[in-house]
Coordinates of all heavy atoms in Angstrom, one line a residue:
R217 N 100.0 51.3 88.1 CA 100.7 50.0 88.4 C 100.5 49.0 87.3 O 101.4 48.2 87.0 CB 100.0 49.5 89.7 CG 100.4 50.2 90.9 CD 99.9 49.5 92.1 NE 101.0 49.4 93.0 CZ 101.1 48.6 94.1 NH1 100.0 47.9 94.4 NH2 102.1 48.6 94.9
M218 N 99.3 49.0 86.7 CA 99.1 48.0 85.6 C 100.1 48.3 84.4 O 100.6 47.4 83.9 CB 97.6 48.2 85.1 CG 97.3 47.1 84.1 SD 97.3 45.5 84.9 CE 95.5 45.3 85.0
E219 N 100.2 49.6 84.1 CA 101.1 49.9 83.0 C 102.6 49.6 83.4 O 103.4 49.1 82.6 CB 101.0 51.4 82.7 CG 101.7 51.8 81.4 CD 101.4 53.3 81.1 OE1 100.2 53.7 81.2 OE2 102.4 54.0 80.9
Q220 N 103.0 49.8 84.6 CA 104.3 49.5 85.1 C 104.5 48.0 85.0 O 105.6 47.5 84.6 CB 104.5 50.0 86.5 CG 105.9 49.9 87.0 CD 106.1 50.6 88.4 OE1 105.1 50.6 89.2 NE2 107.2 51.1 88.7
R221 N 103.5 47.2 85.4 CA 103.7 45.8 85.4 C 103.8 45.3 83.9 O 104.6 44.4 83.6 CB 102.5 45.1 86.0 CG 102.5 43.6 85.9 CD 101.3 42.9 86.5 NE 101.4 41.5 86.2 CZ 101.3 40.5 87.1 NH1 101.2 40.8 88.3 NH2 101.4 39.3 86.7
R222 N 103.0 45.9 83.0 CA 103.1 45.5 81.6 C 104.4 45.8 81.1 O 105.0 44.9 80.4 CB 102.0 46.2 80.8 CG 101.9 45.8 79.4 CD 100.9 46.7 78.6 NE 101.1 48.1 78.7 CZ 102.1 48.8 78.1 NH1 103.0 48.2 77.3 NH2 102.2 50.1 78.2
R223 N 105.0 46.9 81.4 CA 106.3 47.2 80.9 C 107.4 46.3 81.4 O 108.3 45.9 80.7 CB 106.7 48.7 81.3 CG 106.0 49.7 80.5 CD 106.4 51.1 80.8 NE 105.6 52.1 80.1 CZ 105.6 53.3 80.5 NH1 106.2 53.8 81.5 NH2 104.9 54.2 79.8
T224 N 107.3 45.9 82.7 CA 108.2 45.0 83.3 C 108.1 43.6 82.7 O 109.1 43.0 82.3 CB 108.0 44.9 84.8 OG1 108.1 46.2 85.4 CG2 109.0 43.9 85.5
E225 N 106.9 43.2 82.4 CA 106.7 41.9 81.8 C 107.3 41.9 80.4 O 107.9 40.9 79.9 CB 105.2 41.6 81.7 CG 104.6 41.1 83.0 CD 103.1 40.8 82.9 OE1 102.5 41.2 81.9 OE2 102.6 40.3 83.9
E226 N 107.1 43.0 79.6 CA 107.7 43.2 78.3 C 109.2 43.1 78.3 O 109.8 42.5 77.5 CB 107.2 44.4 77.6 CG 105.7 44.4 77.2 CD 105.2 45.7 76.7 OE1 106.0 46.7 76.6 OE2 104.0 45.8 76.4
R227 N 109.8 43.8 79.3 CA 111.3 43.7 79.4 C 111.7 42.3 79.7 O 112.7 41.8 79.2 CB 111.7 44.6 80.6 CG 111.9 46.1 80.2 CD 112.7 46.9 81.2 NE 112.7 46.5 82.6 CZ 111.8 46.8 83.5 NH1 110.9 47.7 83.2 NH2 111.9 46.4 84.7
I228 N 111.0 41.6 80.6 CA 111.4 40.2 81.0 C 111.2 39.3 79.7 O 112.1 38.5 79.4 CB 110.5 39.7 82.1 CG1 110.9 40.5 83.4 CG2 110.7 38.2 82.3 CD1 110.0 40.3 84.6
L229 N 110.1 39.5 79.0 CA 109.9 38.6 77.8 C 111.0 38.9 76.7 O 111.5 38.0 76.1 CB 108.5 38.9 77.2 CG 107.4 38.1 77.9 CD1 106.0 38.6 77.4 CD2 107.5 36.6 77.7
A230 N 111.3 40.2 76.6 CA 112.3 40.5 75.6 C 113.7 39.9 76.0 O 114.4 39.3 75.1 CB 112.5 42.1 75.5
A253 N 116.9 41.8 82.2 CA 115.7 42.6 82.2 C 115.8 43.8 83.2 O 114.8 44.6 83.3 CB 114.5 41.8 82.4
G254 N 116.8 43.8 84.0 CA 116.9 44.8 85.1 C 115.9 44.5 86.2 O 115.3 45.5 86.8
S255 N 115.7 43.3 86.5 CA 114.7 42.8 87.5 C 115.4 41.8 88.4 O 116.6 41.7 88.5 CB 113.5 42.2 86.7 OG 112.5 42.0 87.6
D256 N 114.5 41.2 89.2 CA 115.1 40.1 90.0 C 114.3 38.8 89.8 O 113.2 38.8 89.3 CB 115.0 40.5 91.5 CG 113.6 40.7 92.1 OD1 112.9 39.7 92.2 OD2 113.3 41.8 92.4
L259 N 110.7 38.3 91.0 CA 109.6 39.0 90.3 C 109.3 38.2 89.0 O 108.2 38.1 88.6 CB 110.1 40.4 89.9 CG 109.0 41.4 89.4 CD1 107.8 41.5 90.3 CD2 109.6 42.7 89.1
V260 N 110.4 37.7 88.3 CA 110.2 36.9 87.1 C 109.3 35.7 87.5 O 108.3 35.4 86.7 CB 111.5 36.4 86.5 CG1 111.3 35.4 85.4 CG2 112.3 37.6 86.1
Y263 N 105.6 36.8 88.1 CA 104.9 37.2 86.9 C 104.6 36.0 86.0 O 103.6 35.9 85.3 CB 105.6 38.2 86.1 CG 105.5 39.6 86.7 CD1 106.2 40.7 86.0 CD2 104.8 39.9 87.8 CE1 106.2 42.0 86.5 CE2 104.7 41.2 88.3 CZ 105.4 42.2 87.6 OH 105.3 43.5 88.1
F264 N 105.5 35.0 85.9 CA 105.4 34.0 84.9 C 105.2 32.6 85.5 O 104.9 31.6 84.8 CB 106.6 34.0 84.0 CG 106.6 35.2 83.2 CD1 107.4 36.3 83.5 CD2 105.9 35.3 82.0 CE1 107.4 37.5 82.8 CE2 105.9 36.5 81.2 CZ 106.6 37.6 81.6

Side-chain angles (χ1 to χ4, degrees):
R217 286 186 131 193
M218 186 68 103
E219 192 175 310
Q220 189 175 28
R221 178 185 172 122
R222 184 187 52 77
R223 287 182 183 165
T224 301
E225 286 177 349
E226 287 174 4
R227 278 196 332 271
I228 292 168
L229 280 171
S255 188
D256 64 69
L259 191 58
V260 172
Y263 284 178
F264 295 94

